[in-house]
């Protein structure tokens, strides 16, 4: 049988605690790269900041980002509201 790397990662991480980070973010049109699309750098900044708050909420008082690579799946349209954009984030490492 064939194996998918993603499936292997999930199998290896079953014993790890799962944490959920929820961020209520609403963006207007002044943070666009292209018209109607939020700039990817802004999205990376928001992701990095949310992860900082997540670490803090888990009792890790100080954490630093040494490297952040983001693979974008689709554009986030601007302006955003909670009802018109749902984004799923994940990480490996």
């Amino acid at each position: 049988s064939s194996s998918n790397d993603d499936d292997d990662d999930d199998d290896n991480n079953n014993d790890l605690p799962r944490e959920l980070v929820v961020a209520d973010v609403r963006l207007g049109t002044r943070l666009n790269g292209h018209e109607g699309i939020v700039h990817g750098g802004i999205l990376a900044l928001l992701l990095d900041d949310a992860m900082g708050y997540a670490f803090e909420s888990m009792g890790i008082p100080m954490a630093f980002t040494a490297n952040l690579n983001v693979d974008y799946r689709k554009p986030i349209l601007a302006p955003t509201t909670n009802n018109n954009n749902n984004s799923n984030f994940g990480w490996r490492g």
Side-chain angles (χ1 to χ4, degrees), residues 27 31-32 38-47 72:
L27 301 171
L31 300 173
N32 291 356
V38 178
H39 192 282
I42 297 297
L43 297 173
L45 175 141
L46 292 170
L47 176 61
Y72 297 96

Side-chain angles (χ1 to χ4, degrees), residues 12-34:
N12 293 333
N13 292 328
N14 283 339
D15 294 333
L16 295 176
R18 301 288 181 182
E19 301 291 341
L20 176 67
V21 175
V22 177
D24 181 10
V25 178
R26 298 170 191 208
L27 301 171
T29 57
R30 293 184 177 200
L31 300 173
N32 291 356
H34 295 282

Side-chain angles (χ1 to χ4, degrees), residues 1-92:
S1 72
S2 65
S3 172
N4 182 330
D5 288 342
D6 290 338
D7 292 339
D8 290 342
D9 288 342
D10 289 340
D11 291 341
N12 293 333
N13 292 328
N14 283 339
D15 294 333
L16 295 176
R18 301 288 181 182
E19 301 291 341
L20 176 67
V21 175
V22 177
D24 181 10
V25 178
R26 298 170 191 208
L27 301 171
T29 57
R30 293 184 177 200
L31 300 173
N32 291 356
H34 295 282
E35 186 175 337
I37 299 174
V38 178
H39 192 282
I42 297 297
L43 297 173
L45 175 141
L46 292 170
L47 176 61
D48 185 46
D49 203 43
M51 293 300 102
Y53 283 110
F55 280 113
E56 187 176 311
S57 74
M58 293 187 302
I60 301 170
M62 193 174 290
F64 299 94
T65 303
N67 185 31
L68 178 64
N69 293 308
V70 180
D71 294 324
Y72 297 96
R73 293 183 175 190
K74 64 180 182 178
I76 301 295
L77 303 179
T80 66
T81 66
N82 287 342
N83 296 327
N84 70 7
N85 278 303
N86 293 313
S87 301
N88 295 310
F89 298 101
W91 72 67
R92 292 180 187 218

